[in-house]
Amino acid sequence: MSRTLVIWLPPVAALREENTPYPAWLRIDDGVIVDSGQDDGWVGAWETPQDEDADGRLVALAPAADVPLRWLHYPDAAPAQAAAAARIDALKDSLGDAASLHVVTGQPAGEGQAVPVAVTTHAAMAAWADWLKARDLAPVAIIPATAAVPPPEPDTLWTAEIGGEQVIRSADRAYLSDPELDPLIAGNHAVVPLDSDRMREALLLTLAAPPLDLLSGGWKPKRSWSVDAAMLRTAKLLLVALIAISVLVPVIYAIRLAADTGRADEAVVAMAKKAGVAAPDPAAAEAELDRRLAAAGGGPLAFSVPASALYDAMGDAPGVSLKTLSHRTDGTLSTTLAAPRVEDINQVLLALQARSYRITAQPMAGSDGQQMANITIRAVP
């Protein structure tokens, strides 16, 4: 449910009095006026709403005594240009120092439409701001009360009571009624009372789509960041879920890895059993297989393992040649390498060390001027 509380701001002259009268007010629920008055009856209903899920807003109406309204026409100007021109013309036509005036213009919806212009003072805005602040009220908009009076029929003027003020509305102006000046301003035009039902409908339309807002320029409220309780709860739940997922992912991965490792260990033990090796775990099975292969002259201690690594390393050093090669049963490969430069032999040694072989080297000079080295390579990394 949407709720709107409308409060008429007191005239500036009334604020100077010792006892400021209660403002006129009305409450609107879902576009229907449900309560009104000119007392403090709005306070309880606004501060303690019946519906906790209600979407409420406060709109203040500025009195006609302090904010008259004009409509200026610029048929050939675009809406933005018309609004700028209306502001300049309103300042030209206003009395007093321009710096003390607060001029607000609306922007017409289309080209050729009239531009509403409200003129008040910064002193009045400050007085209303203090009055609202003293009551902990923060309206979303301050609309001139005269903006709610619809335009009259041709050759007539409306007179309507709004917020305890009698307002006159002509084709291009809306202002506070003055019994002595009204006949002079009306001239030969008839002043016709506006039907209360029509005035009520016009007020509701104005509140739904305000033609202008006095809370603009220097009086525009500064944006304040507020934390929505529901969004905060959602953010907390998302944070908890993120932490839980962050913890569960590695835990699940570890469980799956442990399960896969267990299955692999069982498969190794089963394969070793088929080979006649009875072992309680894969490490024991691997040790027993290495022992049997070593005894048979195979496995990682076989000649082919370090010899293959040696030939691969020599493939990256074309200048290195093999002079002698022998193999012992403990898996050690002995060889003599020759090369034009010591750096070429070192390249082979570094390649073997990169493959985690244990290397010993004893350099010596060859009879043909080449560099030579006696090298041993441990077959087991």
Side-chain angles (χ1 to χ4, degrees):
M1 181 181 71
S2 63
R3 297 185 311 126
T4 302
L5 175 66
V6 182
I7 291 184
W8 275 263
L9 298 172
V12 175
L15 292 176
R16 301 191 187 101
E17 299 176 2
E18 185 175 350
N19 295 320
T20 304
Y22 286 113
W25 61 272
L26 57 85
R27 187 162 63 88
I28 303 169
D29 292 349
D30 290 334
V32 179
I33 298 176
V34 296
D35 200 1
S36 63
Q38 191 166 358
D39 49 29
D40 60 353
W42 58 271
V43 175
W46 178 251
E47 293 183 347
T48 56
Q50 306 258 338
D51 186 356
E52 294 182 355
D53 297 329
D55 181 17
R57 66 180 190 136
L58 171 66
V59 177
L61 296 182
D66 299 297
V67 190
L69 203 61
R70 295 175 59 189
W71 283 264
L72 302 179
H73 293 265
Y74 302 91
D76 299 328
Q81 294 174 337
R87 176 180 177 81
I88 294 174
D89 290 344
L91 284 172
K92 289 180 180 178
D93 297 340
S94 298
L95 299 176
D97 183 11
S100 65
L101 299 178
H102 181 48
V103 180
V104 180
T105 62
Q107 186 163 314
E111 185 175 340
Q113 294 184 357
V115 181
V117 185
V119 180
T120 187
T121 63
H122 291 295
M125 293 294 296
W128 291 326
D130 293 340
W131 186 86
L132 291 166
K133 185 177 180 180
R135 289 156 180 80
D136 293 327
L137 298 176
V140 298
I142 298 180
I143 307 170
T146 49
V149 184
E153 303 294 337
D155 299 327
T156 61
L157 281 74
W158 289 134
T159 177
E161 183 178 350
I162 178 169
E165 291 182 310
Q166 199 69 28
V167 176
I168 297 293
R169 173 70 157 94
S170 66
D172 59 357
R173 296 175 185 270
Y175 51 90
L176 184 66
S177 175
D178 187 321
E180 296 182 0
L181 297 178
D182 291 346
L184 300 177
I185 297 174
N188 57 355
H189 298 297
V191 179
V192 182
L194 180 62
D195 181 70
S196 59
D197 292 337
R198 188 172 177 182
M199 181 66 239
R200 188 180 300 108
E201 293 176 1
L203 176 60
L204 293 176
L205 290 174
T206 301
L207 295 172
L212 50 79
D213 183 5
L214 295 180
L215 292 179
S216 61
W219 293 100
K220 187 175 183 178
K222 294 180 176 60
R223 176 180 293 183
S224 59
W225 296 98
S226 59
V227 179
D228 185 9
M231 290 183 65
L232 184 59
R233 286 194 299 270
T234 303
K236 289 181 178 179
L237 292 175
L238 290 175
L239 180 60
V240 172
L242 180 62
I243 294 174
I245 292 173
S246 301
V247 173
L248 286 176
V249 167
V251 169
I252 293 173
Y253 179 77
I255 293 174
R256 290 184 59 184
L257 182 61
D260 293 342
T261 303
R263 286 193 295 268
D265 290 345
E266 292 174 0
V268 170
V269 173
M271 291 175 65
K273 188 175 181 180
K274 290 180 181 179
V277 177
D281 54 60
E286 183 179 4
E288 178 61 20
L289 288 172
D290 287 343
R291 187 189 66 78
R292 293 187 182 187
L293 287 171
L301 301 179
F303 165 76
S304 60
V305 176
S308 176
L310 174 61
Y311 285 124
D312 285 343
M314 290 175 62
D316 296 330
V320 179
S321 61
L322 189 66
K323 297 298 183 180
T324 64
L325 185 64
S326 62
H327 180 258
R328 298 199 299 264
T329 57
D330 64 354
T332 301
L333 188 69
S334 299
T335 181
T336 301
L337 300 180
R341 301 181 306 163
V342 176
E343 289 78 4
D344 297 331
I345 297 176
N346 289 338
Q347 182 179 350
V348 176
L349 299 182
L350 291 173
L352 290 169
Q353 288 178 344
R355 299 186 184 191
S356 301
Y357 286 95
R358 185 174 297 174
I359 307 298
T360 63
Q362 183 178 359
M364 61 181 181
S367 59
D368 55 356
Q370 286 194 319
Q371 301 298 321
M372 302 181 67
N374 292 327
I375 299 169
T376 61
I377 306 169
R378 290 290 297 172
V380 179

